[in-house]
Amino acid sequence: MSTQPRPVYVIGAGPGGLAVAAALRARGVRVVIVEKSESVGASWRRHYDRLHLHTTRRLSALPGLAMPRRFGRWVARENVVRYLEKYAEFHDLELVTGVEVTRIEPAAADGPEGTGWTLHASGGRVMTAGAVVVATGFNHTPVIPDWPGREAYGGALAHAADYRNPAPYAGRDVLVVGVGNTGAEIAVDLADGGAARVRLAVRTAPHILRRSTAGWPAQRTGILVRRLPVGLVDRLGAIVGKASVPDLSAYGLPRPTTGLYSRVKQGSIPVQDVGLVDAVRAGRVEPVAAVESFDGDGVVLADGSRITPDAVIAATGYRRALEGLVGGLDVLDDRGRPRTHGSRTAPHAPGLYFTGFTNPISGMFRELALDAEKIAKAVARDLRA
């Protein structure tokens, strides 16, 4: 490490950034993690209390350190945080907190250090890197749609990122907008936690899968089929869905009309059932049409109906928010996502890597671990060259 003139900088101390740093360090590469918050795993610390990994403990470990068996099969949010803290300590990672990297640009080719990357950070800091790994996370900046009348809504409106537990909503009428994994689980959490009424606004019917069937986790199926043709997986998914999940059409949640894997390729992961099916069948969570607009104290739905919930929780997703960081480098697509990920880099941006910006059917933590090893191998090879 002492002979390496410039470190590799990893931006973000979430699971992806920590995994890459550990894999690089294992190859004798000096790596510095820069994190804008004050601790590792910042996004996991902010998630709602009920959250557990939807992937198994064994298939969610990062390189070089297993998750403790005492965490159970489905690891709780607080234990994920404990694991990430221990991971950074175990691998003795070099971590700088409270510093935000705001812009990345190529280093001057005629400079004393040759080619590479220059990082501009908060406090006027300027750092020069041999390579850069961007791991700022899939769920970076919360997004609430600009619904007409939203600003004048008389009830409480919050993004799911601000939701922690159902206590503030006890005895209240709540509308959850969005039926991804977050929206579905928050709706169940509210129903279990004493909300007077819980409705779930659905724009596109989701694919719902059992998290585990007869002890076989859905994640393992995702791993097995991820390389198969999309059409074949769509047909298999339809068979499995009908066999394992009851038809909820009578309750306002019909089966989807598009294939499961086709939706995954478009960025929509199936909903892992952690109580939604039973809550819908029992009437404790009521699916309703999508939100079209707000009207004073009311919410107008796509079917023309108007409801007056006390509070609205928008589980409406996140932006990657990479434009300010790398927007001038022509490495993002028209949706703001990196064009390359893992060990691949853009031809005009060698040494600039991205990890954690896809939502794979085989499990985020597992793919982060695989990406980390691939990135570390590529970086170590390039530095030697």
Side-chain angles (χ1 to χ4, degrees), residues 207-232:
H207 287 273
I208 301 174
L209 296 176
R210 298 291 188 189
R211 187 170 62 176
S212 178
T213 302
W216 178 266
Q219 180 190 9
R220 288 197 177 276
T221 302
I223 294 170
L224 292 174
V225 306
R226 67 189 303 261
R227 303 294 185 187
L228 296 179
V230 172
L232 175 60

Side-chain angles (χ1 to χ4, degrees), residues 72-88:
R73 193 181 198 195
W74 313 106
V75 182
R77 179 198 63 83
E78 63 269 23
N79 284 333
V80 172
V81 173
R82 292 190 182 100
Y83 173 72
L84 297 179
E85 291 173 339
K86 182 63 178 178
Y87 192 85

Side-chain angles (χ1 to χ4, degrees), residues 300-325:
V300 179
L301 304 179
D303 60 4
S305 60
R306 183 180 185 276
I307 61 176
T308 55
D310 300 316
V312 176
I313 299 173
T316 45
Y318 297 79
R319 289 190 299 108
R320 313 293 87 81
L322 292 169
E323 291 79 6
L325 189 65

